[in-house]
């Protein structure tokens, strides 16, 4: 079983749409969670950390559900510039980071 | 904004040759990592390094790989005898701290070194 699983997509949405991604993790001892964004052939860049109470940063909202072992990312009012691959990252065992395979988002005009 | 720098950006080598990829982590960061990403695939953990020694390594990080922090600023990944399947983007990353929460455990990645083995 994979440590972190994501729907690979692609999610094709029109500008202005709301889109949500989920990510499930297998290890209940996982303690820190992040969403990273990766543009084609570029390095991953932190989008946001995910806190237990859920958190929002502008058009982006992240949620954590420990009972069901998943995290989610909601993007409201999608922009063309949101087109990228979104990586779910989970820390387990102090400093071991596990990456999901990423969910590809295409925002179309 | 502080950044992680990597050199070279692209290296082409012949199978069996040794390759050294270099990284300069963010200056106040204490934890250093190498990841790789084969084209079209996921980001894979190779190794983490703290206090001048390896703290974790994956099954990918076999005897062909080694890491070093030779001079207090550079962090290098050496592949002794490259294979075709080593062709990938290699990302260096660093973090201020490890552990859970507080924000200091966030990974910052370099732009990557693309390795092509022929």
């Amino acid at each position: 079983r994979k440590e972190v699983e994501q729907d690979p997509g692609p999610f094709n949405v029109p500008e202005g749409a709301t889109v949500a991604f989920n990510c499930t993790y297998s290890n209940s001892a996982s303690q820190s969670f992040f969403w990273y964004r990766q543009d084609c052939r570029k390095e991953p860049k932190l989008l946001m950390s995910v806190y237990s109470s859920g958190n929002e940063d502008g058009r982006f909202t992240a949620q954590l559900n420990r009972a069901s072992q998943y995290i989610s990312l909601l993007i409201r009012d999608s922009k063309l510039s949101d087109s990228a691959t979104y990586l779910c990252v989970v820390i387990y065992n102090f400093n071991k980071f596990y990456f999901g395979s990423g969910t590809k988002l295409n925002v179309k005009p | 904004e502080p950044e992680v720098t990597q050199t070279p950006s692209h290296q082409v080598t012949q199978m069996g040759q040794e390759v050294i990829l270099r990284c300069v982590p963010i200056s106040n960061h204490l934890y250093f990592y190498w990841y790789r990403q084969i084209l079209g695939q996921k980001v894979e953990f190779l190794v983490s390094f703290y206090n001048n020694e390896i703290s974790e390594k994956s099954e990918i990080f076999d005897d062909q790989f080694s890491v070093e922090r030779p001079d207090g600023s550079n962090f290098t990944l050496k592949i002794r005898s490259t294979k075709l399947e080593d062709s990938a983007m290699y990302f260096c990353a660093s973090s201020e701290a490890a552990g859970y929460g507080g924000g200091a455990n966030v990974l910052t990645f370099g732009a990557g070194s693309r390795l092509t083995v022929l």
Side-chain angles (χ1 to χ4, degrees):
Chain A
R1 184 178 175 186
K2 294 180 185 176
E3 296 285 350
V4 180
E5 295 205 55
Q6 294 183 252
D7 181 343
F11 284 58
N12 298 307
V13 303
E15 264 187 297
T18 295
V19 62
F21 311 133
N22 280 343
C23 162
T24 58
Y25 58 95
S26 62
N27 196 316
S28 59
S30 301
Q31 292 293 332
S32 283
F33 309 89
F34 306 92
W35 284 102
Y36 275 73
R37 171 196 168 122
Q38 187 175 29
D39 293 288
C40 189
R41 294 181 177 252
K42 299 285 190 183
E43 74 274 25
K45 291 187 177 179
L46 178 71
L47 179 66
M48 58 198 304
S49 303
V50 186
Y51 302 122
S52 296
S53 55
N55 48 301
E56 191 173 304
D57 182 2
R59 297 181 294 108
F60 299 86
T61 301
Q63 298 276 356
L64 168 63
N65 186 318
R66 286 190 185 276
S68 301
Q69 293 182 206
Y70 77 84
I71 66 173
S72 64
L73 177 68
L74 182 79
I75 306 175
R76 288 182 297 279
D77 188 23
S78 301
K79 312 287 185 198
L80 295 176
S81 56
D82 294 334
S83 296
T85 297
Y86 291 83
L87 307 176
C88 171
V89 183
V90 172
I91 294 181
Y92 166 64
N93 194 25
F94 194 64
N95 71 338
K96 203 159 183 181
F97 291 73
Y98 291 94
F99 282 74
S101 54
T103 298
K104 189 170 172 58
L105 173 65
N106 295 318
V107 181
K108 300 184 182 299
Chain B
E1 185 176 324
E3 57 182 28
V4 176
T5 57
Q6 290 187 242
T7 54
S9 57
H10 188 193
Q11 180 152 359
V12 181
T13 190
Q14 296 290 325
M15 194 168 57
Q17 295 296 303
E18 176 181 285
V19 159
I20 297 176
L21 306 178
R22 291 182 169 79
C23 169
V24 179
I26 293 173
S27 61
N28 66 329
H29 284 191
L30 301 176
Y31 294 82
F32 315 118
Y33 307 82
W34 283 101
Y35 287 81
R36 79 170 187 191
Q37 187 173 34
I38 296 169
L39 189 62
Q41 296 187 27
K42 66 187 287 186
V43 175
E44 298 176 292
F45 169 77
L46 293 178
V47 66
S48 59
F49 192 86
Y50 169 70
N51 200 26
N52 284 318
E53 61 183 25
I54 290 173
S55 49
E56 292 268 1
K57 61 182 181 179
S58 72
E59 57 276 8
I60 302 169
F61 194 87
D62 60 22
D63 292 343
Q64 294 297 315
F65 292 89
S66 62
V67 288
E68 202 176 36
R69 188 157 161 80
D71 56 14
S73 63
N74 288 286
F75 179 49
T76 62
L77 174 70
K78 182 192 289 186
I79 310 174
R80 266 182 265 284
S81 177
T82 50
K83 303 187 279 289
L84 295 176
E85 55 265 35
D86 293 328
S87 294
M89 181 74 96
Y90 288 80
F91 291 110
C92 175
S94 67
S95 65
E96 191 176 338
Y100 309 123
N105 57 350
V106 168
L107 287 180
T108 301
F109 284 84
S113 293
R114 180 167 300 282
L115 175 65
T116 302
V117 182
L118 302 176

